[in-house]
Amino acid sequence: MHPLVRLLALSALPLAGLGAAEPAVFHQVSTAAEPMQPGKFAPTWESLSQYETPAWFRDAKFGIWAHWGPQCEPEQGDWYARHMYLEGAPQWGNDVSKFHREHYGHPSVFGFKDVIHRWKAEHWDPDKLVSLYKRAGAQYFFALANHHDNFDLWDSKYQPWNSVRIGPQKNLIAGWAKAARANGLKFGVSVHAAHAWSWYEVAQGADKAGPFAGVPYDGKLTKADGKGQWWDGLDPQDLYEQRHTPSPNFAEPSSIHARWDWGNGVSIPDQAYCEKFYNRTVDLINQYHPDLIYFDDTALPLWPISDAGLKIAAHFYNTNMQAHGGKLEAVLFGKILNEQQRHCMVWDIERGQSNVIEPQPWQTDTCIGGWHYDRSLFEQHRYKSAKTVIQTLADVVSKNGNLLLNVPVRGDGTIDDDELAVVESIAAWMDVNQECIFGTRPWKVFGEGPASEGAPITAQGFNEGKGKPFTAEDVRFTIKGDILYVISLGHPTAPLTIKSLGKHAGLLDRAPVKVEQLGNPGSITWAQNDSALIITPAASATDTPATVFKITFP
């Protein structure tokens, strides 16, 4: 068996428990430049399984994310730095390749490095945005630290292609961190750069037809090619990381997700690449002390080809404990986790939800539009509504989860009027109903209703919108002490029959003594019988995203 195939097979297996053999890795990164903080956690899955999710995160429930970087400058949506090199291949609704050639020029002359140079973030006001998000109920705020485009958004010691030196010439992470903490929010960073090695391979290509047929794109340029250019003194290879032979079919549109699949026809990063990623990320942690880190990776970055992610995780946990008097307050997220890995960090489900009350706290991350700003979504008024966001939040919280919501930021550092309206509407609902969300825990069952019926769908991600739509007959439960909240996912216009709260359902050990409707100062009619609790709601706005009933017990 090829050693890499064996490695991938081993890494896919859940560890049997304490004392189980750890899968080997190809590259063991050096920690000489950025030492790993000693402490409770060692860089093994066995050691990381000591992790316990802090109570503050379980109480927080809702965060907002600025997934913002130089790929937002053209305002053409996700993955611009890759799609601009895919000749004649529209991706996700936008023909980015055509747009780039028409607005900037051919990628042999004007590559993504030059898009970065154009990006100025001239109207960015982090305090204004974070203050708005706090008013909408966000308890933590996330900033993009780097994306697959490999550009660091802080004064990076190890990546000369960073926002302080190039483009905006501003320390974006420092600005976001200051604003978050000034507003009393926990601060998180998202790190996505582990896959630049294969994701950028399209920059090694060339047009197959037309006047530039066969002319190489700028992906193989070196420092020597910069003489007399605006980037004189910089090495494009520090950005593009294309000092290697590209993977087979690297330029095919169908290969865009191959970046997740090391060893399955994908070129494997070398030792130097893995060590640079480790150093950059530890530098980020040491400079800005984030409370949360999101890795856009299966399990941990560069796993299983390197132990970089394991060492970063151990360092993050140990430094956080040192800063909090021995108490672990850090939250680390990974995607597509097996059961054992869900004890080592918080499971993140991208654009998707679970179908059950998960035993461990988890998070879904989603967006009101695209991850990177897409002007067409604004012009066509195609954002998620506040109603959809709030219903999603209630569903996720009822199942022991949190919601992280991206509000895309324009290239200039602002959000548009439609996005502002969504955020303001979330704030208005929170003003009345937030007590059913923050500081709550799941009840004995997450809820009931038509949307809960039918076959379950996979919960590893991208199941958003694949279930039945929510209606007022769908209810979700949360609990806080002796208070039970019933959240109707809509505006009930008829008495609400809740079978889970009937006397014979066996879920209540006491009869309710009071039922109130949040936002309604008067009393409402309710009655419990053997089969259900029946609530006649008060008149309220018909466009309310969710109606909340507060049930008190003796």
Side-chain angles (χ1 to χ4, degrees):
M1 180 183 290
H2 189 281
L4 182 58
V5 174
R6 178 176 178 274
L7 172 66
L8 291 169
L10 283 172
S11 68
L13 297 174
L15 301 185
L18 297 181
E22 295 271 340
V25 295
F26 267 20
H27 304 308
Q28 294 188 2
V29 300
S30 170
T31 60
E34 294 291 341
M36 189 173 57
Q37 176 69 37
K40 176 179 178 179
F41 293 92
T44 66
W45 289 113
E46 179 183 353
S47 180
L48 294 178
S49 67
Q50 301 173 86
Y51 178 73
E52 293 184 8
T53 309
W56 76 258
F57 178 74
R58 299 196 67 193
D59 290 339
K61 305 303 182 188
F62 183 45
I64 289 185
W65 189 3
H67 190 284
W68 180 55
Q71 291 179 87
C72 298
E73 169 61 21
E75 300 187 350
Q76 292 295 302
D78 298 341
W79 285 20
Y80 188 94
R82 178 180 171 92
H83 292 166
M84 60 167 279
Y85 294 104
L86 288 168
E87 177 194 12
Q91 296 293 321
W92 303 336
N94 291 333
D95 192 338
V96 169
S97 173
K98 179 181 178 181
F99 174 91
H100 185 86
R101 284 155 173 78
E102 291 177 351
H103 288 78
Y104 297 121
H106 192 262
S108 62
V109 178
F110 198 106
F112 188 69
K113 67 183 187 311
D114 303 288
V115 174
I116 295 171
H117 183 52
R118 285 275 186 96
W119 182 43
K120 301 306 177 188
E122 61 272 24
H123 298 305
W124 175 55
D125 185 342
D127 191 69
K128 179 180 179 180
L129 288 174
V130 175
S131 297
L132 169 68
Y133 301 151
K134 179 181 181 180
R135 192 156 55 80
Q139 305 294 297
Y140 53 100
F141 172 79
F142 259 88
L144 185 78
N146 51 40
H147 198 253
H148 311 317
D149 60 19
N150 215 27
F151 186 72
D152 284 352
L153 299 170
W154 74 95
D155 191 9
S156 179
K157 289 166 58 178
Y158 298 94
Q159 174 56 294
W161 292 83
N162 66 69
S163 64
V164 176
R165 185 170 183 177
I166 305 163
Q169 298 184 345
K170 300 173 183 176
N171 191 327
L172 303 180
I173 292 299
W176 285 125
K178 181 179 179 181
R181 287 165 177 151
N183 281 278
L185 303 187
K186 298 287 188 179
F187 178 62
V189 292
S190 65
V191 176
H192 309 241
H195 293 276
W197 176 282
S198 55
W199 191 81
Y200 257 139
E201 286 180 338
V202 289
Q204 293 194 45
D207 286 1
K208 297 178 181 178
F212 287 89
V215 178
Y217 303 147
D218 69 332
K220 297 291 279 186
L221 293 178
T222 65
K223 186 175 182 178
D225 297 311
K227 189 173 182 179
Q229 303 292 327
W230 71 261
W231 46 276
D232 196 346
L234 289 167
D235 187 349
Q237 290 312 305
D238 287 333
L239 179 70
Y240 295 140
E241 292 288 358
Q242 296 305 303
R243 302 176 182 91
H244 63 277
T245 301
S247 310
N249 303 318
F250 69 95
E252 295 299 322
S254 61
S255 72
I256 59 174
H257 290 290
R259 63 198 178 96
W260 302 112
D261 206 1
W262 303 121
N264 187 12
V266 177
S267 175
I268 302 302
D270 60 20
Q271 177 88 15
Y273 180 89
C274 296
E275 290 191 357
K276 180 179 178 181
F277 180 84
Y278 167 83
N279 288 334
R280 287 163 68 185
T281 309
V282 171
D283 170 50
L284 173 68
I285 293 168
N286 291 346
Q287 285 202 58
Y288 303 104
H289 311 288
D291 303 292
L292 314 94
I293 299 178
Y294 167 96
F295 284 130
D296 193 17
D297 296 272
T298 299
L300 287 169
L302 297 167
W303 172 261
I305 62 169
S306 121
D307 63 354
L310 290 170
K311 288 177 175 173
I312 292 166
H315 177 78
F316 179 47
Y317 288 163
N318 289 337
T319 55
N320 183 271
M321 289 186 71
Q322 184 184 50
H324 291 91
K327 184 178 181 181
L328 182 58
E329 296 288 335
V331 184
L332 179 67
F333 302 92
K335 303 195 311 185
I336 314 179
L337 305 184
N338 62 34
E339 289 298 327
Q340 192 269 349
Q341 291 164 344
R342 293 177 202 176
H343 291 273
C344 302
M345 65 191 85
V346 173
W347 180 29
D348 181 272
I349 304 176
E350 181 177 352
R351 285 194 184 272
Q353 291 143 247
S354 176
N355 294 289
V356 298
I357 298 175
E358 292 292 339
Q360 301 294 328
W362 59 284
Q363 176 179 268
T364 183
D365 66 284
T366 191
C367 183
I368 65 170
W371 291 118
H372 292 100
Y373 189 84
D374 187 339
R375 175 162 290 276
S376 68
L377 297 180
F378 169 50
E379 292 172 342
Q380 299 171 34
H381 306 292
R382 290 173 51 202
Y383 291 129
K384 277 188 179 76
S385 66
K387 179 178 181 179
T388 296
V389 172
I390 290 164
Q391 290 177 345
T392 300
L393 175 63
D395 180 64
V396 167
V397 169
S398 74
K399 298 170 182 174
N400 205 24
N402 287 29
L403 171 64
L404 176 61
L405 179 71
N406 176 44
V407 179
V409 180
R410 292 188 284 202
D412 68 0
T414 64
I415 63 172
D416 64 46
D417 292 342
D418 283 5
E419 292 176 295
L420 178 60
V422 172
V423 176
E424 293 280 12
S425 295
I426 295 171
W429 187 86
M430 287 289 191
D431 286 343
V432 175
N433 299 288
Q434 60 181 286
E435 66 177 86
C436 75
I437 300 294
F438 304 124
T440 65
R441 295 292 183 268
W443 191 50
K444 298 174 183 179
V445 294
F446 68 80
E448 62 179 61
S452 305
E453 301 166 0
I457 50 180
T458 178
Q460 283 288 12
F462 299 99
N463 62 29
E464 188 176 78
K466 294 184 178 180
K468 294 181 180 179
F470 293 129
T471 69
E473 295 180 2
D474 292 294
V475 299
R476 296 294 180 262
F477 302 117
T478 62
I479 191 167
K480 186 187 297 180
D482 286 334
I483 302 297
L484 178 65
Y485 295 96
V486 177
I487 308 169
S488 167
L489 301 181
H491 170 67
T493 56
L496 195 61
T497 301
I498 307 166
K499 297 178 181 178
S500 301
L501 303 184
K503 294 178 182 178
H504 288 176
L507 296 176
L508 293 179
D509 57 4
R510 293 170 292 172
V513 296
K514 187 177 183 181
V515 178
E516 305 166 81
Q517 182 174 326
L518 298 187
N520 174 61
S523 61
I524 59 173
T525 302
W526 62 276
Q528 185 190 33
N529 58 35
D530 290 344
S531 60
L533 178 71
I534 302 170
I535 302 174
T536 301
S540 60
T542 57
D543 61 349
T544 184
T547 305
V548 182
F549 302 97
K550 179 178 180 179
I551 301 180
T552 304
F553 297 90

